Amino acid sequence: MKQIMLVSLAVLLGLTLLITGCVDEAPVQPPNGASEVGIMYTATGQMPVLLSTGQIDGYMVWQPFVSVAEVSGIGTVVSYSQDLPPAGTWTDHTCDALSAREDFIAANPDLVNAIAALLILSGDYVQENPDRAAEVSADWLFGGGDMTFGDVKVSSQDVLAHSIPTIRFSTEPSEDWLQSNDRFIEALRDIGYLTGSLKDASPGEVRDTLYDFSHYEAARAMVDAGEITTPEKRTRPMSIGYLPSDHDAPLFVAIKDWEHFHENFGIALKPRTTAPGKVDVADLIVNGEIITEVRLVQGEGGAQLMTLMGTDAIQMSYAGTPPTISAVDKGMPIKILLPTQNEGSGLVVAASAPVDDWDSFIAWADARSAEGRPLRIAAPIRGSIQDVQIKYALQDSGLVVKEV
């Protein structure tokens, strides 16, 4: 599973020089004759530019940057995330979830329930109104205008309309969803990302450590009853972290279409501004009462949001489950409260690449590696869902993965 990342000019120049320098290096043969693929990490908004200028061979990323490639003609989709190998592993896979600090949950249970209820309602709204969700997401992420990547310009409305239907929005913590997280935990163990409390924990211990579904159950009961309990007013603002992706469309819709939720359900996140684009501050209103100021904090990836949660800079987050799992493994006092969407990522290569599916991608990787020019694939952040999936898929196909 959704505004181009705001990166300073210095960082962009440094990144471009770094990547250009790496591409110009002398060919290096992979060890022991094994085919090799390089994984590098960069801001999602820069990936289409890097791909179109030949500085990377492909990227594994969340939406809408998968759709950017296809709609603009920059690239082609090798595989959506749910179809990556091992076969059947990632079907209906977990992606973003709502999580919160344990101390915040304990001090504000009714507030957490109310926010969970609003996201259940807005998730249903997105599923039922994909065109409106695309319009709202295009406004939030790109101001509703065109997206420009070097010499390439593409309508954000067209991109989001292409992207939203590839994402499954669901808030039910079903057994299938839990098993999907179990598979990610196995993958995280296999590639050495879990080294703490979850490394050797049993399935039951893992679930007890990771989840607190009592707030989903309370929220679901309120939604079904058509009545949201009014939380106590807070004297201090709270902060919710999110990612610049249409995976977060339910959060965007809850804020941009706040009047719909206020009038029909008695709960809303009313933005402090009506200007186009993202919203930084909103008021949570329940049954006509302003409960708290909510600050919306945009992160670059799930791992960064977990760091912000660890320092109490944000109290709740809308981020992928694997980085949340990794944070809990390292001892962060966080609980996953409910899923928000599944699937919605993909592997993209340049439109000129001799690739139309996973098998031809592997053949291309073998050929490039034999030439001493291993493929270079970009991923958002180390430990992200996309990073885990592409590494796991490559290793399953017998390739050596190297971070570059």
Side-chain angles (χ1 to χ4, degrees), residues 181-243:
N181 282 323
D182 292 342
R183 289 193 295 272
F184 264 106
I185 289 169
E186 291 173 8
L188 288 164
R189 286 170 173 164
D190 287 347
I191 61 179
Y193 278 11
L194 295 186
T195 58
S197 63
L198 301 180
K199 181 175 183 286
D200 299 311
S202 68
E205 291 170 336
V206 166
R207 293 189 178 189
D208 288 343
T209 302
L210 284 178
Y211 309 117
D212 180 356
F213 296 137
S214 64
H215 300 281
Y216 166 78
E217 293 163 358
R220 181 80 260 175
M222 290 192 295
V223 168
D224 291 344
E227 184 175 354
I228 309 298
T229 300
T230 305
E232 291 185 7
K233 292 185 178 181
R234 278 175 57 86
T235 57
R236 297 171 52 197
M238 64 166 291
S239 298
I240 299 176
Y242 71 95
L243 300 176

Tab-separated table of all heavy atoms in Angstrom, residues 181-243:
chain	number	residue	atom	x	y	z
A	181	ASN	N	0.840	-12.222	8.738
A	181	ASN	CA	1.880	-11.667	9.606
A	181	ASN	C	2.838	-12.753	10.068
A	181	ASN	O	4.051	-12.514	10.190
A	181	ASN	CB	1.249	-10.969	10.811
A	181	ASN	CG	0.708	-9.597	10.473
A	181	ASN	OD1	1.290	-8.866	9.676
A	181	ASN	ND2	-0.415	-9.241	11.068
A	182	ASP	N	2.310	-13.945	10.347
A	182	ASP	CA	3.187	-15.064	10.727
A	182	ASP	C	4.206	-15.342	9.624
A	182	ASP	O	5.387	-15.608	9.911
A	182	ASP	CB	2.360	-16.329	10.989
A	182	ASP	CG	1.472	-16.229	12.232
A	182	ASP	OD1	1.731	-15.346	13.072
A	182	ASP	OD2	0.532	-17.042	12.345
A	183	ARG	N	3.761	-15.273	8.366
A	183	ARG	CA	4.683	-15.506	7.247
A	183	ARG	C	5.743	-14.415	7.173
A	183	ARG	O	6.912	-14.687	6.866
A	183	ARG	CB	3.904	-15.587	5.931
A	183	ARG	CG	3.074	-16.857	5.795
A	183	ARG	CD	2.570	-17.050	4.378
A	183	ARG	NE	1.624	-16.017	3.960
A	183	ARG	CZ	0.316	-16.071	4.150
A	183	ARG	NH1	-0.224	-17.103	4.794
A	183	ARG	NH2	-0.465	-15.104	3.712
A	184	PHE	N	5.340	-13.177	7.434
A	184	PHE	CA	6.324	-12.103	7.443
A	184	PHE	C	7.337	-12.302	8.565
A	184	PHE	O	8.527	-12.015	8.397
A	184	PHE	CB	5.638	-10.743	7.583
A	184	PHE	CG	5.401	-10.061	6.275
A	184	PHE	CD1	4.135	-9.994	5.726
A	184	PHE	CD2	6.450	-9.499	5.559
A	184	PHE	CE1	3.909	-9.379	4.505
A	184	PHE	CE2	6.243	-8.877	4.344
A	184	PHE	CZ	4.961	-8.820	3.811
A	185	ILE	N	6.879	-12.783	9.705
A	185	ILE	CA	7.799	-13.031	10.810
A	185	ILE	C	8.808	-14.105	10.417
A	185	ILE	O	10.011	-13.988	10.697
A	185	ILE	CB	7.017	-13.414	12.074
A	185	ILE	CG1	6.280	-12.184	12.617
A	185	ILE	CG2	7.949	-14.001	13.143
A	185	ILE	CD1	5.271	-12.476	13.686
A	186	GLU	N	8.347	-15.148	9.733
A	186	GLU	CA	9.266	-16.181	9.247
A	186	GLU	C	10.279	-15.583	8.281
A	186	GLU	O	11.476	-15.888	8.336
A	186	GLU	CB	8.474	-17.291	8.554
A	186	GLU	CG	7.617	-18.127	9.496
A	186	GLU	CD	6.721	-19.106	8.734
A	186	GLU	OE1	6.893	-19.219	7.508
A	186	GLU	OE2	5.863	-19.736	9.367
A	187	ALA	N	9.794	-14.716	7.380
A	187	ALA	CA	10.693	-14.086	6.412
A	187	ALA	C	11.694	-13.178	7.123
A	187	ALA	O	12.890	-13.166	6.794
A	187	ALA	CB	9.885	-13.290	5.389
A	188	LEU	N	11.225	-12.412	8.098
A	188	LEU	CA	12.112	-11.526	8.852
A	188	LEU	C	13.179	-12.326	9.600
A	188	LEU	O	14.336	-11.902	9.696
A	188	LEU	CB	11.298	-10.674	9.829
A	188	LEU	CG	10.439	-9.566	9.213
A	188	LEU	CD1	9.414	-9.062	10.219
A	188	LEU	CD2	11.310	-8.420	8.720
A	189	ARG	N	12.801	-13.477	10.117
A	189	ARG	CA	13.777	-14.350	10.769
A	189	ARG	C	14.782	-14.888	9.764
A	189	ARG	O	15.990	-14.909	10.017
A	189	ARG	CB	13.058	-15.502	11.474
A	189	ARG	CG	12.344	-15.102	12.762
A	189	ARG	CD	11.463	-16.217	13.276
A	189	ARG	NE	10.892	-15.915	14.592
A	189	ARG	CZ	9.876	-16.566	15.112
A	189	ARG	NH1	9.280	-17.554	14.438
A	189	ARG	NH2	9.410	-16.230	16.313
A	190	ASP	N	14.273	-15.325	8.607
A	190	ASP	CA	15.144	-15.933	7.599
A	190	ASP	C	16.195	-14.961	7.076
A	190	ASP	O	17.313	-15.372	6.747
A	190	ASP	CB	14.312	-16.467	6.429
A	190	ASP	CG	13.542	-17.732	6.775
A	190	ASP	OD1	13.834	-18.327	7.830
A	190	ASP	OD2	12.650	-18.119	5.998
A	191	ILE	N	15.840	-13.682	6.952
A	191	ILE	CA	16.812	-12.726	6.424
A	191	ILE	C	17.529	-11.961	7.546
A	191	ILE	O	18.244	-10.998	7.293
A	191	ILE	CB	16.158	-11.733	5.438
A	191	ILE	CG1	15.062	-10.906	6.111
A	191	ILE	CG2	15.608	-12.459	4.232
A	191	ILE	CD1	14.397	-9.899	5.168
A	192	GLY	N	17.346	-12.424	8.791
A	192	GLY	CA	18.133	-11.914	9.909
A	192	GLY	C	17.699	-10.592	10.473
A	192	GLY	O	18.492	-9.912	11.144
A	193	TYR	N	16.425	-10.196	10.264
A	193	TYR	CA	15.962	-8.911	10.767
A	193	TYR	C	15.438	-8.982	12.200
A	193	TYR	O	15.308	-7.951	12.852
A	193	TYR	CB	14.858	-8.361	9.859
A	193	TYR	CG	15.368	-7.652	8.621
A	193	TYR	CD1	16.702	-7.728	8.246
A	193	TYR	CD2	14.514	-6.898	7.828
A	193	TYR	CE1	17.158	-7.090	7.116
A	193	TYR	CE2	14.965	-6.252	6.680
A	193	TYR	CZ	16.291	-6.358	6.332
A	193	TYR	OH	16.741	-5.714	5.210
A	194	LEU	N	15.067	-10.172	12.676
A	194	LEU	CA	14.590	-10.314	14.050
A	194	LEU	C	15.718	-10.889	14.905
A	194	LEU	O	16.188	-12.000	14.676
A	194	LEU	CB	13.363	-11.231	14.110
A	194	LEU	CG	12.099	-10.729	13.420
A	194	LEU	CD1	10.937	-11.674	13.682
A	194	LEU	CD2	11.729	-9.310	13.859
A	195	THR	N	16.126	-10.128	15.886
A	195	THR	CA	17.245	-10.544	16.742
A	195	THR	C	16.917	-10.413	18.221
A	195	THR	O	17.751	-10.714	19.063
A	195	THR	CB	18.487	-9.685	16.436
A	195	THR	OG1	18.166	-8.297	16.647
A	195	THR	CG2	18.949	-9.873	14.998
A	196	GLY	N	15.693	-9.966	18.545
A	196	GLY	CA	15.339	-9.709	19.929
A	196	GLY	C	14.285	-10.646	20.467
A	196	GLY	O	14.376	-11.868	20.310
A	197	SER	N	13.241	-10.081	21.073
A	197	SER	CA	12.252	-10.883	21.800
A	197	SER	C	11.439	-11.810	20.915
A	197	SER	O	10.904	-12.812	21.401
A	197	SER	CB	11.305	-9.948	22.565
A	197	SER	OG	10.569	-9.127	21.657
A	198	LEU	N	11.332	-11.506	19.638
A	198	LEU	CA	10.512	-12.328	18.744
A	198	LEU	C	11.328	-13.349	17.954
A	198	LEU	O	10.749	-14.175	17.246
A	198	LEU	CB	9.743	-11.441	17.757
A	198	LEU	CG	8.801	-10.400	18.372
A	198	LEU	CD1	8.114	-9.597	17.270
A	198	LEU	CD2	7.761	-11.054	19.276
A	199	LYS	N	12.623	-13.315	18.099
A	199	LYS	CA	13.494	-14.176	17.295
A	199	LYS	C	13.160	-15.653	17.474
A	199	LYS	O	13.048	-16.415	16.511
A	199	LYS	CB	14.959	-13.924	17.635
A	199	LYS	CG	15.953	-14.762	16.834
A	199	LYS	CD	17.377	-14.343	17.151
A	199	LYS	CE	18.376	-15.128	16.311
A	199	LYS	NZ	18.527	-16.498	16.767
A	200	ASP	N	12.975	-16.071	18.718
A	200	ASP	CA	12.711	-17.482	19.000
A	200	ASP	C	11.366	-17.690	19.699
A	200	ASP	O	11.112	-18.757	20.248
A	200	ASP	CB	13.833	-18.058	19.874
A	200	ASP	CG	15.192	-17.980	19.201
A	200	ASP	OD1	15.279	-18.395	18.022
A	200	ASP	OD2	16.152	-17.495	19.828
A	201	ALA	N	10.515	-16.678	19.674
A	201	ALA	CA	9.224	-16.772	20.370
A	201	ALA	C	8.293	-17.733	19.641
A	201	ALA	O	8.328	-17.863	18.415
A	201	ALA	CB	8.583	-15.393	20.471
A	202	SER	N	7.454	-18.405	20.411
A	202	SER	CA	6.464	-19.307	19.834
A	202	SER	C	5.360	-18.484	19.170
A	202	SER	O	5.207	-17.287	19.459
A	202	SER	CB	5.855	-20.182	20.923
A	202	SER	OG	5.057	-19.395	21.799
A	203	PRO	N	4.553	-19.099	18.285
A	203	PRO	CA	3.453	-18.351	17.656
A	203	PRO	C	2.525	-17.696	18.671
A	203	PRO	O	2.098	-16.549	18.487
A	203	PRO	CB	2.733	-19.418	16.835
A	203	PRO	CG	3.806	-20.406	16.488
A	203	PRO	CD	4.698	-20.443	17.701
A	204	GLY	N	2.203	-18.393	19.751
A	204	GLY	CA	1.335	-17.820	20.774
A	204	GLY	C	1.982	-16.640	21.472
A	204	GLY	O	1.324	-15.615	21.738
A	205	GLU	N	3.263	-16.762	21.763
A	205	GLU	CA	3.984	-15.661	22.408
A	205	GLU	C	4.068	-14.445	21.482
A	205	GLU	O	3.941	-13.301	21.932
A	205	GLU	CB	5.387	-16.116	22.806
A	205	GLU	CG	5.407	-17.133	23.936
A	205	GLU	CD	6.778	-17.755	24.147
A	205	GLU	OE1	7.588	-17.777	23.182
A	205	GLU	OE2	7.038	-18.230	25.264
A	206	VAL	N	4.273	-14.711	20.195
A	206	VAL	CA	4.342	-13.620	19.227
A	206	VAL	C	3.033	-12.847	19.206
A	206	VAL	O	3.015	-11.613	19.271
A	206	VAL	CB	4.659	-14.159	17.819
A	206	VAL	CG1	4.395	-13.090	16.765
A	206	VAL	CG2	6.109	-14.623	17.750
A	207	ARG	N	1.930	-13.564	19.131
A	207	ARG	CA	0.627	-12.892	19.039
A	207	ARG	C	0.302	-12.129	20.320
A	207	ARG	O	-0.252	-11.030	20.265
A	207	ARG	CB	-0.455	-13.909	18.704
A	207	ARG	CG	-0.292	-14.485	17.295
A	207	ARG	CD	-1.470	-15.320	16.860
A	207	ARG	NE	-1.288	-15.807	15.487
A	207	ARG	CZ	-2.215	-16.424	14.767
A	207	ARG	NH1	-3.427	-16.639	15.281
A	207	ARG	NH2	-1.962	-16.834	13.539
A	208	ASP	N	0.634	-12.686	21.471
A	208	ASP	CA	0.397	-11.980	22.728
A	208	ASP	C	1.217	-10.695	22.814
A	208	ASP	O	0.764	-9.684	23.364
A	208	ASP	CB	0.739	-12.878	23.916
A	208	ASP	CG	-0.277	-13.987	24.125
A	208	ASP	OD1	-1.393	-13.880	23.577
A	208	ASP	OD2	0.053	-14.970	24.826
A	209	THR	N	2.414	-10.744	22.249
A	209	THR	CA	3.314	-9.597	22.310
A	209	THR	C	2.910	-8.498	21.332
A	209	THR	O	2.996	-7.311	21.658
A	209	THR	CB	4.760	-10.036	22.005
A	209	THR	OG1	5.157	-11.036	22.944
A	209	THR	CG2	5.731	-8.862	22.084
A	210	LEU	N	2.454	-8.899	20.150
A	210	LEU	CA	2.222	-7.930	19.081
A	210	LEU	C	0.880	-7.217	19.133
A	210	LEU	O	0.795	-6.032	18.820
A	210	LEU	CB	2.335	-8.623	17.717
A	210	LEU	CG	3.715	-8.965	17.201
A	210	LEU	CD1	3.592	-9.692	15.867
A	210	LEU	CD2	4.558	-7.708	17.036
A	211	TYR	N	-0.185	-7.954	19.506
A	211	TYR	CA	-1.536	-7.453	19.230
A	211	TYR	C	-2.336	-7.094	20.477
A	211	TYR	O	-2.164	-7.689	21.541
A	211	TYR	CB	-2.331	-8.510	18.447
A	211	TYR	CG	-1.631	-9.043	17.227
A	211	TYR	CD1	-1.279	-10.395	17.131
A	211	TYR	CD2	-1.312	-8.211	16.156
A	211	TYR	CE1	-0.629	-10.893	16.010
A	211	TYR	CE2	-0.675	-8.699	15.033
A	211	TYR	CZ	-0.328	-10.044	14.965
A	211	TYR	OH	0.308	-10.531	13.854
A	212	ASP	N	-3.242	-6.140	20.289
A	212	ASP	CA	-4.292	-5.834	21.258
A	212	ASP	C	-5.541	-5.494	20.452
A	212	ASP	O	-5.717	-4.363	19.996
A	212	ASP	CB	-3.898	-4.660	22.155
A	212	ASP	CG	-4.974	-4.318	23.177
A	212	ASP	OD1	-6.057	-4.946	23.146
A	212	ASP	OD2	-4.748	-3.409	24.005
A	213	PHE	N	-6.389	-6.507	20.239
A	213	PHE	CA	-7.569	-6.323	19.404
A	213	PHE	C	-8.795	-5.876	20.195
A	213	PHE	O	-9.881	-5.746	19.630
A	213	PHE	CB	-7.893	-7.615	18.656
A	213	PHE	CG	-6.831	-8.030	17.676
A	213	PHE	CD1	-6.443	-9.358	17.577
A	213	PHE	CD2	-6.212	-7.089	16.863
A	213	PHE	CE1	-5.461	-9.743	16.675
A	213	PHE	CE2	-5.223	-7.460	15.964
A	213	PHE	CZ	-4.854	-8.799	15.863
A	214	SER	N	-8.635	-5.628	21.489
A	214	SER	CA	-9.782	-5.219	22.290
A	214	SER	C	-10.353	-3.893	21.797
A	214	SER	O	-11.574	-3.664	21.865
A	214	SER	CB	-9.386	-5.108	23.767
A	214	SER	OG	-8.412	-4.091	23.968
A	215	HIS	N	-9.516	-3.030	21.274
A	215	HIS	CA	-9.979	-1.721	20.800
A	215	HIS	C	-10.665	-1.840	19.448
A	215	HIS	O	-11.616	-1.094	19.168
A	215	HIS	CB	-8.810	-0.744	20.771
A	215	HIS	CG	-8.195	-0.554	22.115
A	215	HIS	ND1	-8.744	0.265	23.075
A	215	HIS	CD2	-7.113	-1.148	22.697
A	215	HIS	CE1	-8.016	0.197	24.178
A	215	HIS	NE2	-7.027	-0.656	23.971
A	216	TYR	N	-10.217	-2.775	18.619
A	216	TYR	CA	-10.955	-3.051	17.385
A	216	TYR	C	-12.341	-3.580	17.725
A	216	TYR	O	-13.344	-3.155	17.130
A	216	TYR	CB	-10.217	-4.081	16.524
A	216	TYR	CG	-11.090	-4.645	15.421
A	216	TYR	CD1	-11.328	-3.924	14.261
A	216	TYR	CD2	-11.720	-5.884	15.574
A	216	TYR	CE1	-12.153	-4.409	13.263
A	216	TYR	CE2	-12.555	-6.384	14.577
A	216	TYR	CZ	-12.768	-5.646	13.431
A	216	TYR	OH	-13.599	-6.137	12.448
A	217	GLU	N	-12.414	-4.498	18.681
A	217	GLU	CA	-13.700	-5.083	19.052
A	217	GLU	C	-14.641	-4.025	19.617
A	217	GLU	O	-15.842	-4.001	19.291
A	217	GLU	CB	-13.471	-6.205	20.063
A	217	GLU	CG	-12.735	-7.404	19.451
A	217	GLU	CD	-12.141	-8.339	20.486
A	217	GLU	OE1	-12.272	-8.030	21.702
A	217	GLU	OE2	-11.538	-9.346	20.092
A	218	ALA	N	-14.113	-3.121	20.460
A	218	ALA	CA	-14.941	-2.044	21.012
A	218	ALA	C	-15.394	-1.100	19.901
A	218	ALA	O	-16.559	-0.662	19.869
A	218	ALA	CB	-14.159	-1.273	22.074
A	219	ALA	N	-14.483	-0.790	18.982
A	219	ALA	CA	-14.821	0.103	17.873
A	219	ALA	C	-15.843	-0.538	16.952
A	219	ALA	O	-16.807	0.115	16.526
A	219	ALA	CB	-13.555	0.451	17.099
A	220	ARG	N	-15.664	-1.814	16.659
A	220	ARG	CA	-16.595	-2.524	15.787
A	220	ARG	C	-17.993	-2.547	16.401
A	220	ARG	O	-18.998	-2.353	15.706
A	220	ARG	CB	-16.088	-3.947	15.594
A	220	ARG	CG	-16.919	-4.842	14.692
A	220	ARG	CD	-16.631	-4.561	13.244
A	220	ARG	NE	-17.643	-3.702	12.646
A	220	ARG	CZ	-17.560	-3.232	11.407
A	220	ARG	NH1	-16.510	-3.499	10.656
A	220	ARG	NH2	-18.521	-2.472	10.928
A	221	ALA	N	-18.059	-2.733	17.716
A	221	ALA	CA	-19.349	-2.751	18.403
A	221	ALA	C	-20.024	-1.386	18.331
A	221	ALA	O	-21.250	-1.293	18.121
A	221	ALA	CB	-19.161	-3.174	19.859
A	222	MET	N	-19.246	-0.312	18.469
A	222	MET	CA	-19.822	1.033	18.378
A	222	MET	C	-20.322	1.315	16.967
A	222	MET	O	-21.407	1.884	16.781
A	222	MET	CB	-18.784	2.077	18.801
A	222	MET	CG	-18.460	2.074	20.284
A	222	MET	SD	-17.501	3.532	20.814
A	222	MET	CE	-15.963	3.289	19.931
A	223	VAL	N	-19.544	0.919	15.960
A	223	VAL	CA	-19.960	1.137	14.570
A	223	VAL	C	-21.243	0.370	14.282
A	223	VAL	O	-22.192	0.896	13.686
A	223	VAL	CB	-18.831	0.714	13.608
A	223	VAL	CG1	-19.347	0.646	12.172
A	223	VAL	CG2	-17.649	1.676	13.710
A	224	ASP	N	-21.298	-0.883	14.736
A	224	ASP	CA	-22.480	-1.711	14.481
A	224	ASP	C	-23.710	-1.148	15.199
A	224	ASP	O	-24.835	-1.235	14.682
A	224	ASP	CB	-22.227	-3.152	14.928
A	224	ASP	CG	-21.207	-3.852	14.041
A	224	ASP	OD1	-20.926	-3.356	12.936
A	224	ASP	OD2	-20.672	-4.906	14.473
A	225	ALA	N	-23.504	-0.571	16.382
A	225	ALA	CA	-24.612	-0.009	17.149
A	225	ALA	C	-25.003	1.385	16.662
A	225	ALA	O	-26.066	1.907	17.038
A	225	ALA	CB	-24.243	0.054	18.625
A	226	GLY	N	-24.146	1.994	15.849
A	226	GLY	CA	-24.438	3.337	15.340
A	226	GLY	C	-24.266	4.428	16.370
A	226	GLY	O	-24.845	5.505	16.248
A	227	GLU	N	-23.420	4.190	17.369
A	227	GLU	CA	-23.223	5.183	18.438
A	227	GLU	C	-21.783	5.126	18.927
A	227	GLU	O	-21.313	4.081	19.386
A	227	GLU	CB	-24.173	4.921	19.595
A	227	GLU	CG	-24.104	5.973	20.697
A	227	GLU	CD	-25.138	5.755	21.787
A	227	GLU	OE1	-25.987	4.850	21.624
A	227	GLU	OE2	-25.098	6.482	22.795
A	228	ILE	N	-21.074	6.249	18.822
A	228	ILE	CA	-19.676	6.336	19.238
A	228	ILE	C	-19.610	6.947	20.635
A	228	ILE	O	-20.185	8.018	20.884
A	228	ILE	CB	-18.848	7.199	18.272
A	228	ILE	CG1	-19.055	6.746	16.823
A	228	ILE	CG2	-17.373	7.170	18.650
A	228	ILE	CD1	-18.629	5.340	16.527
A	229	THR	N	-18.964	6.264	21.546
A	229	THR	CA	-18.790	6.784	22.909
A	229	THR	C	-17.877	8.004	22.888
A	229	THR	O	-16.823	7.994	22.246
A	229	THR	CB	-18.175	5.705	23.817
A	229	THR	OG1	-19.049	4.581	23.852
A	229	THR	CG2	-17.966	6.238	25.230
A	230	THR	N	-18.285	9.061	23.577
A	230	THR	CA	-17.494	10.286	23.624
A	230	THR	C	-16.339	10.134	24.613
A	230	THR	O	-16.568	9.914	25.803
A	230	THR	CB	-18.358	11.486	24.060
A	230	THR	OG1	-19.492	11.588	23.202
A	230	THR	CG2	-17.554	12.781	24.003
A	231	PRO	N	-15.086	10.237	24.147
A	231	PRO	CA	-13.939	10.138	25.059
A	231	PRO	C	-13.804	11.397	25.917
A	231	PRO	O	-14.396	12.437	25.617
A	231	PRO	CB	-12.739	10.004	24.119
A	231	PRO	CG	-13.309	9.745	22.754
A	231	PRO	CD	-14.665	10.378	22.745
A	232	GLU	N	-13.002	11.293	26.956
A	232	GLU	CA	-12.670	12.466	27.760
A	232	GLU	C	-11.822	13.421	26.924
A	232	GLU	O	-11.014	13.003	26.095
A	232	GLU	CB	-11.891	12.055	29.013
A	232	GLU	CG	-12.699	11.277	30.026
A	232	GLU	CD	-11.902	10.999	31.287
A	232	GLU	OE1	-10.757	11.533	31.411
A	232	GLU	OE2	-12.393	10.257	32.142
A	233	LYS	N	-12.008	14.727	27.175
A	233	LYS	CA	-11.207	15.720	26.459
A	233	LYS	C	-9.757	15.673	26.946
A	233	LYS	O	-9.488	15.470	28.124
A	233	LYS	CB	-11.786	17.116	26.675
A	233	LYS	CG	-13.144	17.327	26.022
A	233	LYS	CD	-13.604	18.767	26.159
A	233	LYS	CE	-14.940	18.981	25.453
A	233	LYS	NZ	-15.396	20.397	25.551
A	234	ARG	N	-8.849	15.862	25.978
A	234	ARG	CA	-7.429	15.916	26.299
A	234	ARG	C	-6.961	17.374	26.363
A	234	ARG	O	-7.444	18.232	25.622
A	234	ARG	CB	-6.593	15.190	25.240
A	234	ARG	CG	-6.527	13.702	25.420
A	234	ARG	CD	-5.788	13.054	24.261
A	234	ARG	NE	-4.443	13.558	24.076
A	234	ARG	CZ	-3.380	13.093	24.707
A	234	ARG	NH1	-3.512	12.099	25.599
A	234	ARG	NH2	-2.166	13.578	24.476
A	235	THR	N	-6.024	17.632	27.242
A	235	THR	CA	-5.455	18.969	27.346
A	235	THR	C	-4.210	19.118	26.471
A	235	THR	O	-3.752	20.234	26.234
A	235	THR	CB	-5.079	19.291	28.798
A	235	THR	OG1	-4.164	18.294	29.283
A	235	THR	CG2	-6.327	19.297	29.680
A	236	ARG	N	-3.690	17.992	26.005
A	236	ARG	CA	-2.491	18.010	25.167
A	236	ARG	C	-2.830	17.443	23.794
A	236	ARG	O	-3.676	16.555	23.676
A	236	ARG	CB	-1.371	17.160	25.798
A	236	ARG	CG	-0.872	17.655	27.139
A	236	ARG	CD	0.055	16.611	27.746
A	236	ARG	NE	1.111	16.210	26.831
A	236	ARG	CZ	1.848	15.104	26.982
A	236	ARG	NH1	1.607	14.293	27.996
A	236	ARG	NH2	2.802	14.824	26.107
A	237	PRO	N	-2.164	17.926	22.738
A	237	PRO	CA	-2.382	17.349	21.412
A	237	PRO	C	-1.844	15.914	21.356
A	237	PRO	O	-1.021	15.505	22.182
A	237	PRO	CB	-1.560	18.255	20.479
A	237	PRO	CG	-1.261	19.482	21.271
A	237	PRO	CD	-1.233	19.064	22.708
A	238	MET	N	-2.306	15.166	20.393
A	238	MET	CA	-1.747	13.860	20.090
A	238	MET	C	-1.277	13.876	18.638
A	238	MET	O	-1.679	14.750	17.859
A	238	MET	CB	-2.775	12.746	20.292
A	238	MET	CG	-3.968	12.820	19.362
A	238	MET	SD	-4.958	11.297	19.331
A	238	MET	CE	-3.820	10.169	18.515
A	239	SER	N	-0.432	12.917	18.290
A	239	SER	CA	0.103	12.865	16.933
A	239	SER	C	-0.063	11.478	16.341
A	239	SER	O	0.129	10.469	17.027
A	239	SER	CB	1.584	13.252	16.920
A	239	SER	OG	1.774	14.578	17.367
A	240	ILE	N	-0.423	11.448	15.047
A	240	ILE	CA	-0.539	10.204	14.300
A	240	ILE	C	0.436	10.268	13.129
A	240	ILE	O	0.422	11.229	12.348
A	240	ILE	CB	-1.966	9.992	13.760
A	240	ILE	CG1	-2.971	9.913	14.916
A	240	ILE	CG2	-2.039	8.724	12.904
A	240	ILE	CD1	-4.422	9.788	14.456
A	241	GLY	N	1.285	9.271	13.009
A	241	GLY	CA	2.204	9.194	11.884
A	241	GLY	C	1.586	8.428	10.734
A	241	GLY	O	0.807	7.498	10.939
A	242	TYR	N	1.932	8.832	9.521
A	242	TYR	CA	1.402	8.148	8.334
A	242	TYR	C	2.445	8.228	7.234
A	242	TYR	O	3.477	8.923	7.348
A	242	TYR	CB	0.088	8.796	7.873
A	242	TYR	CG	0.265	10.163	7.256
A	242	TYR	CD1	0.379	10.316	5.874
A	242	TYR	CD2	0.344	11.316	8.045
A	242	TYR	CE1	0.561	11.569	5.304
A	242	TYR	CE2	0.528	12.555	7.484
A	242	TYR	CZ	0.639	12.683	6.110
A	242	TYR	OH	0.833	13.913	5.556
A	243	LEU	N	2.189	7.524	6.119
A	243	LEU	CA	3.114	7.501	4.995
A	243	LEU	C	2.483	8.162	3.770
A	243	LEU	O	1.261	8.136	3.608
A	243	LEU	CB	3.501	6.064	4.661
A	243	LEU	CG	4.194	5.300	5.793
A	243	LEU	CD1	4.436	3.857	5.387
A	243	LEU	CD2	5.501	5.983	6.178
